[in-house]
Amino acid sequence: MNTLQRWWHGPWAVPTVSGAAILASFFVARVLGSDPVSNIFMVAAALVAGIPIAVKAVRALAVKNISIDLLVSVAAAGAIIVGEYWEAAAVTFLFAVGHALEARTMNKTRSALAELVAVAPDVAVVMRDGQQVEVPAGAVGTGETVLVKNGAKVPVDGEVIAGTGAVDEASITGESIPVEKAAGDRVFAGTVSRGGFLQVRATGVGADTTLARIIHRVEEAQDVKAKTQAFIDRFATWYTPGIMALALVVGLVTGDVVLALTLLVIGCPGALVISIPVAIVAGIGRAARDGILIKGGEFLESSARIDAVAVDKTGTLTEGRPQLSDVVVLDPAVDRGQVLAWAAAAEAGSEHPLARPILEAAAAEGLATPGLPDAVQPVPGKGITATTGGRRVLVGNAALLDQLGVADAVGAAAAAEELAAAGRTPMIVAVDETVVGVVAVADQVRADAAEMVRRLHAAGVTRVVMLTGDAPLVAEAIGAATGVDEVRAGLLPEDKLDAVRELQRQGRTVAMVGDGVNDAPALATADIGVAMGAAGSAVAVETADIALMGDNLRKLPEAIGLAKRTVSVMRQNITVALVTVTLLLAGVFAGGVTMAIGMLVHEASVLVVIANAMRLLRRREDTTRDATAREEYPAAPAELVTR
C-alpha cells in the first residue's frame, strides 16, 4: 500500500474532501454567483462527511445502542431537508475533523503501548552447529544459546551463561541506569545491551517473554473500565435518547425545526463519554513506561483511595538474603572459628533457610567442616540437633537447651536476647553439654525502605503496617529503622489475612505488598494487591492488581501518586464536559448559538478533555522529595524467619 492509499484509508481523508467541497461552495457562491451550484457543493460536503457518521449510527442501532453519531446524523439530515445546507455541512465536517483529531490524540495516549511493542526484538543471533545464525526472534528455541552484542536488543528471556555486560532494562523496570550482568544473572527480551558481550541460554521466547506478558496486560488494562467510566456509559445510554426526546418536544411546541435540530447537535455528550477512558489509557500508559503494571482502570481508580498499606517484611522491606552478622564466643576454651565451624557442621544437614548463610560464611572463612553430620533431628520452633564426629551439636534457642537439659551457665540466653533486640536472629551453639557461643544472621533492611514509607505518607497514606512472621523483638527493630506506623509480628498467612480484613473494617482502602506466593490470601483480600520485583514472574504479572516490575520500593508511592493524578484529571474532564453542554444548551434557548457554532464548541471541548488527559503522559518529578530524602537511613539488619 503506497502513501496515497494509506492516506485515503486514514482518518483525515473524509474531512479533507468534505472541507474541499465547502471551500468550492464558497468560491462558486462569491466568485461565480451561482447559488444552486454552491448548494450542490455544500450538500456534497455534508454527504461526504455525514455518510460515515450515519453508517456508524446504524451499526450502533443494530446492537440497540443510541449513539452520538445518531444525533449528528438526524440533525444533518434534518438541516438538508429544511434547506440549511451550510449548517448540515458544517456539523458533519466539524464532527469528522473531531473524530480525526480524537483518533490521533488517542493514539498518542496509547504511545506507551506502542513503545513497548516497538522495543520487541525482531531478530536474534543464535549458535547452531558452532555457527552464528541470524533468525527471527520468535524462531529461537528454548535452551538455545543466544549471543547479545553491544548495542543489540536482547531477543529472549534467559540466563547469562558466559560473558559480562551492561543492560538497559528501562523498557521492563522503568529504571534508566544500566544493570551489570554476569554468568547466572537473568536478562529480559526487549532490553538493550549498552556494553560487553553476553551468551544467554533462552528460557522464554515469543509470547512467553516478560515483555510479551507486559504488552498483553497493558492492552487488556487500557480496555478495562473504571467504575466511574461504567457509570458514565450508563448515563450516556439514557442521556442520548433524552436529548432526542427534548429536541422533539421543543420542535413540536415551538414549531422551530432548526432549533430542535440544533439541540440535537448541542446535546452531544462526546466530551463526557471520552473523558474517562482517555484518562485511564493515559494513566496506565504512563505507569507502564515507569515499570508499573496496573491491571485496569478499576484498580487505577481504587489506588487513588488507598490510605493504608500492609507490607510484608522479608524481600520487601528487607533484602531477603540473610548473612552471618555475629559470632559471640562464650566458652574460653574455643575461639570464634571453632564456634562457627561447629554451627556449620550441624547446619550442613539442615534444610532451614538460615542454614545457608552459616555454611556460606564458614566456607568464605576457609573453615574445615566434617561434611554431612551422622544424624540430624530438627526440633520445630526451637532449632536442630546433630551428631557429627561422635559429638552432639545443638543449634537453636534457649528453649532447645531447656528441652535437652543443657545448662546455660555462660549467659547465652541474655546474649541471644540482646542480639534479637538489635534485629538479628540469634542461635545458641552447644557441643555435648557445653554452651560454646551464639551465632546470629541478619537480613539487611533495604536502603530505600524508610524513604518509601516517608513517600507513602506524603502521598496520603495514613497507615503503613508491617506484617511478619518474625519474632516481636526483631520486627520492632525493623519497624524502628523504616518508620512504619505499626508492627504486627509472629503472624501466620491466615493472620496476615485477618490483619488486612481488620484494616478494611476500619473503613480503610488497603493495599497489600508481598511476593505473590506466601502472602497470596492477604494479597487477594486487599483492595489492591501489589507484587514487588515482578519482572520475569509470570504469576505476579497475571495475578497482581499492580505489579512493580523492578525491585524499587519507591515505585509504590509513585503508583499511588499517579493514580491520584489520574482520578483528578477524570474529575476535571467530567466538569469540562458537563459545563460545556450546560452553557451551550443555555445559549441555544437564549439565542445566538447555531448548529455550526455548537458543533465547533463541542469538538473543542473534546480536544480539551483529551489534551488534559495527555498531561498524564509527561513524567512528573517526585514532589514528595525533600531534605529528609538525602538523610542516611540506617540499614538495620533483621531476621529472615524464626525457627
Side-chain angles (χ1 to χ4, degrees):
M1 183 180 292
N2 58 36
T3 303
L4 180 60
Q5 289 175 320
R6 285 197 299 271
W7 176 84
W8 182 254
H9 290 91
W12 288 102
V14 167
T16 300
V17 174
S18 177
I22 291 174
L23 291 176
S25 174
F26 286 144
F27 176 81
V28 169
R30 296 187 180 184
V31 176
L32 303 181
S34 176
D35 288 338
V37 176
S38 174
N39 290 338
I40 291 174
F41 275 112
M42 201 65 79
V43 171
L47 291 175
V48 167
I51 288 176
I53 300 171
V55 170
K56 291 180 182 178
V58 171
R59 288 175 179 171
L61 282 174
V63 293
K64 299 180 181 180
N65 179 27
I66 300 177
S67 65
I68 300 171
D69 301 278
L70 182 61
L71 295 182
V72 176
S73 299
V74 172
I80 291 176
I81 292 172
V82 298
E84 296 288 342
Y85 306 125
W86 155 244
E87 296 286 359
V91 166
T92 53
F93 168 73
L94 289 170
F95 197 71
V97 169
H99 266 305
L101 289 171
E102 181 181 322
R104 180 180 177 184
T105 49
M106 279 295 287
N107 285 338
K108 286 187 177 181
T109 63
R110 293 183 181 270
S111 58
L113 180 58
E115 289 177 8
L116 286 175
V117 174
V119 302
D122 298 321
V123 297
V125 178
V126 185
M127 292 298 297
R128 291 180 178 174
D129 299 324
Q131 301 293 321
Q132 296 186 26
V133 182
E134 187 174 285
V135 300
V140 178
T142 302
E144 284 196 292
T145 299
V146 178
L147 305 183
V148 181
K149 304 175 183 179
N150 182 23
K153 290 181 181 178
V154 180
V156 297
D157 281 8
E159 180 181 346
V160 177
I161 56 176
T164 59
V167 178
D168 182 352
E169 296 184 336
S171 59
I172 301 294
T173 66
E175 298 296 332
S176 58
I177 300 175
V179 180
E180 293 295 327
K181 299 291 184 180
D185 291 335
R186 299 195 65 183
V187 293
F188 307 106
T191 56
V192 181
S193 172
R194 296 303 184 195
F197 177 74
L198 300 174
Q199 296 181 45
V200 177
R201 183 176 64 248
T203 58
V205 299
D208 291 330
T209 64
T210 298
L211 177 63
R213 289 193 293 269
I214 293 174
I215 291 173
H216 175 66
R217 267 298 171 206
V218 174
E219 285 176 333
E220 288 187 337
Q222 290 185 336
D223 293 328
V224 175
K225 295 181 178 180
K227 292 181 180 179
T228 304
Q229 182 183 347
F231 169 77
I232 292 296
D233 289 346
R234 291 194 300 270
F235 173 78
T237 300
W238 292 98
Y239 173 85
T240 303
I243 287 294
M244 296 187 72
L246 174 64
L248 178 62
V249 170
V250 169
L252 292 175
V253 172
T254 64
D256 190 339
V257 177
V258 174
L259 175 61
L261 296 176
T262 302
L263 281 175
L264 289 179
V265 173
I266 300 305
C268 288
L272 184 63
V273 171
I274 201 174
S275 60
I276 306 303
V278 70
I280 292 296
V281 167
I284 289 176
R286 176 69 264 173
R289 283 183 183 177
D290 294 336
I292 302 167
L293 191 57
I294 300 176
K295 199 171 182 179
E298 177 182 352
F299 303 106
L300 183 64
E301 191 173 15
S302 296
S303 296
R305 300 193 302 272
I306 291 173
D307 58 0
V309 174
V311 185
D312 179 47
K313 178 184 74 64
T314 305
T316 303
L317 293 178
T318 65
E319 298 286 352
R321 296 186 296 272
Q323 297 177 339
L324 181 74
S325 60
D326 299 87
V327 178
V328 180
V329 180
L330 297 176
D331 184 354
V334 300
D335 58 21
R336 179 186 182 282
Q338 289 175 302
V339 173
L340 179 56
W342 282 118
E347 294 289 6
S350 173
E351 78 290 350
H352 198 278
L354 295 185
R356 181 184 57 80
I358 294 175
L359 292 171
E360 288 179 349
E365 295 185 21
L367 299 176
T369 56
L372 293 176
D374 301 321
V376 177
Q377 179 63 49
V379 182
K382 297 179 181 179
I384 187 173
T385 69
T387 302
T388 178
R391 309 289 294 273
R392 185 181 73 164
V393 183
L394 311 181
V395 181
N397 55 24
L400 178 64
L401 301 184
D402 292 339
Q403 178 176 323
L404 299 178
V406 177
D408 178 14
V410 291
E417 185 172 344
E418 183 179 347
L419 288 168
R424 286 123 168 115
T425 299
M427 290 167 280
I428 301 171
V429 181
V431 181
D432 293 329
E433 303 300 321
T434 304
V435 175
V436 296
V438 180
V439 295
V441 297
D443 185 11
Q444 297 294 319
V445 173
R446 288 176 181 262
D448 54 355
E451 186 178 353
M452 178 203 68
V453 174
R454 183 188 60 78
R455 290 192 183 191
L456 284 174
H457 288 148
V461 176
T462 59
R463 199 80 181 159
V464 180
V465 183
M466 184 178 77
L467 308 179
T468 177
D470 293 342
L473 280 176
V474 175
E476 290 293 343
I478 300 298
T482 57
V484 298
D485 301 298
E486 182 181 352
V487 174
R488 301 192 183 189
L491 303 181
L492 298 173
E494 53 267 31
D495 298 324
K496 294 182 180 181
L497 173 62
D498 291 339
V500 169
R501 285 176 172 167
E502 181 182 335
L503 289 169
Q504 290 174 325
R505 284 194 295 270
Q506 295 172 5
R508 297 181 181 275
T509 301
V510 183
M512 173 68 193
V513 187
D515 59 14
V517 180
N518 296 332
D519 303 309
L523 284 166
T525 301
D527 299 283
I528 297 293
V530 182
M532 281 287 301
S537 170
V539 174
V541 172
E542 293 298 324
T543 61
D545 301 327
I546 296 179
L548 308 181
M549 304 309 296
D551 215 20
N552 185 345
L553 288 174
R554 287 171 291 184
K555 294 292 183 183
L556 179 57
E558 186 178 327
I560 295 175
L562 176 61
K564 290 181 181 294
R565 296 200 307 275
T566 302
V567 169
S568 176
V569 166
M570 288 163 55
R571 291 170 178 163
Q572 293 165 10
N573 284 352
I574 291 174
T575 301
V576 168
L578 293 178
V579 169
T580 299
V581 170
T582 301
L583 292 178
L584 285 176
L585 287 174
V588 169
F589 287 111
V593 176
T594 64
M595 252 192 283
I597 293 175
M599 181 54 68
L600 180 63
V601 174
H602 168 265
E603 293 302 331
S605 70
V606 170
L607 295 181
V608 167
V609 161
I610 295 174
N612 189 41
M614 287 179 67
R615 293 189 300 116
L616 293 169
L617 293 175
R618 296 200 305 266
R619 188 177 186 88
R620 180 173 177 178
E621 294 298 325
D622 190 354
T623 56
T624 65
R625 293 186 69 88
D626 56 27
T628 61
R630 294 187 292 272
E631 294 177 1
E632 292 294 330
Y633 292 99
E639 81 166 2
L640 174 66
V641 64
T642 55
R643 287 194 184 260

